[in-house]
Amino acid sequence: MKPLIAPSLLSADFLELGKAIHMINQSEADWIHCDVMDGRFVPNISFGLPVIRAIKKLAQKPLDVHLMIVEPERYIAAFHDAGADMLSIHIEASIHAHRSLQQIRSLGMKAGIVLNPHTALSLLEYIVEEVDYILLMSVNPGFGGQQFIEHSYRKISELKEMLIGRGSQALIEVDGGVDVENAAKLVRHGADILVAGNAIFSADNPQEIIHQLKNCHTS
Ligand code: DX5
Ligand code: ZN
């Protein structure tokens, strides 16, 4: 199976956000990954609701909104109204993750749970049924362009095994340090969705990188 590709706008030129979205619209990408950071859960601030609303006006692909914020439950309805199609929250930031995931789904969005690199898969034990996808961070969240953490391969394999054992259809999304070098190996280990920021937006031909990521399993 070809992976789903979700370019992360965090690495786009914010002065040319419209052009970046247009490029993604014309590409083989499947989703548009939007990183929302609050300067509290992560040591960086990115963009929030008004920017998501603007992106939604141009986007012809679903918006995959990754919340790196404390108390994400306070903003679930607001991100739905702003145009999120998929909404993921960090398990480390969610005291009532189970309830929040149910709320995300009840609004008609796909629900995702995110795990930091150090967070154990066992925390998923009682919420697997409530999620449409699990996002494994393969860098510490907060910044684009960081180096991929090698233990992520083992974590993906173990998660895949867990999902198969549970009869779950949840997809595995991998975020951080993904590029054309490691994409095929990630897919072989069980990744279904690849997020890539720096690899795409620092390239001379971003659409070509998206094409290579999309077709990585055959190369
Ligand atoms: C990091 C973000 C990522 C980031 C990935 O906190 O969640 O989505 O944009 O960027 P790259 O692909 O450059 O590591
Ligand atoms: Zn992200």
Side-chain angles (χ1 to χ4, degrees):
M1 276 287 284
K2 289 187 183 187
L4 299 175
I5 306 301
S8 167
L9 288 174
L10 189 64
S11 295
D13 177 354
F14 286 176
L15 283 178
E16 303 279 9
L17 211 42
K19 276 189 187 162
I21 297 161
H22 185 67
M23 180 281 290
I24 295 171
N25 284 344
Q26 303 301 313
S27 77
E28 289 174 60
D30 299 277
W31 297 354
I32 301 181
H33 188 83
C34 303
D35 289 300
V36 176
M37 304 178 182
D38 65 354
R40 294 190 61 209
F41 180 68
V42 289
N44 194 12
I45 300 175
S46 57
F47 51 79
L49 292 160
V51 176
I52 301 277
R53 259 193 299 274
I55 293 168
K56 186 68 179 176
K57 286 188 191 155
L58 265 188
Q60 291 167 4
K61 318 243 172 171
L63 296 193
D64 169 31
V65 178
H66 173 191
L67 295 184
M68 283 160 275
I69 65 175
V70 297
E71 300 177 32
E73 61 279 359
R74 294 175 58 198
Y75 295 98
I76 290 171
F79 278 100
H80 174 254
D81 293 344
D85 298 281
M86 292 89 182
L87 192 64
S88 60
I89 57 173
H90 271 259
I91 199 161
E92 305 85 2
S94 312
I95 297 175
H96 296 289
H98 190 278
R99 177 190 290 151
S100 298
L101 292 163
Q102 287 188 326
Q103 191 193 347
I104 293 172
R105 276 183 163 175
S106 74
L107 290 168
M109 296 180 284
K110 299 283 184 209
I113 192 81
V114 192
L115 270 60
N116 274 335
H118 76 278
T119 302
L121 294 176
S122 57
L123 291 184
L124 296 172
E125 177 75 19
Y126 298 104
I127 49 170
V128 162
E129 280 75 23
E130 311 302 329
V131 299
D132 298 295
Y133 61 102
I134 295 150
L135 197 175
L136 296 182
M137 289 306 306
S138 42
V139 298
N140 285 297
F143 304 93
Q146 300 182 84
Q147 198 183 348
F148 180 84
I149 296 172
E150 288 292 317
H151 80 210
S152 309
Y153 295 116
R154 181 163 66 89
K155 202 168 180 184
I156 296 165
S157 303
E158 290 174 5
L159 175 56
K160 194 74 178 179
E161 215 169 292
M162 176 194 278
L163 294 176
I164 291 169
R166 295 282 292 265
S168 167
Q169 301 295 310
L171 300 177
I172 301 176
E173 181 169 23
V174 181
D175 184 4
V178 174
D179 58 26
V180 290
E181 306 300 322
N182 58 21
K185 189 169 173 184
L186 289 167
V187 173
R188 278 201 302 277
H189 279 74
D192 302 294
I193 309 153
L194 301 177
V195 176
N198 189 57
I200 291 172
F201 287 100
S202 70
D204 292 338
N205 187 345
Q207 288 186 345
E208 173 57 25
I209 300 298
I210 293 171
H211 171 77
Q212 288 180 23
L213 291 169
K214 185 75 187 168
N215 295 283
C216 65
H217 70 303
T218 53
S219 57

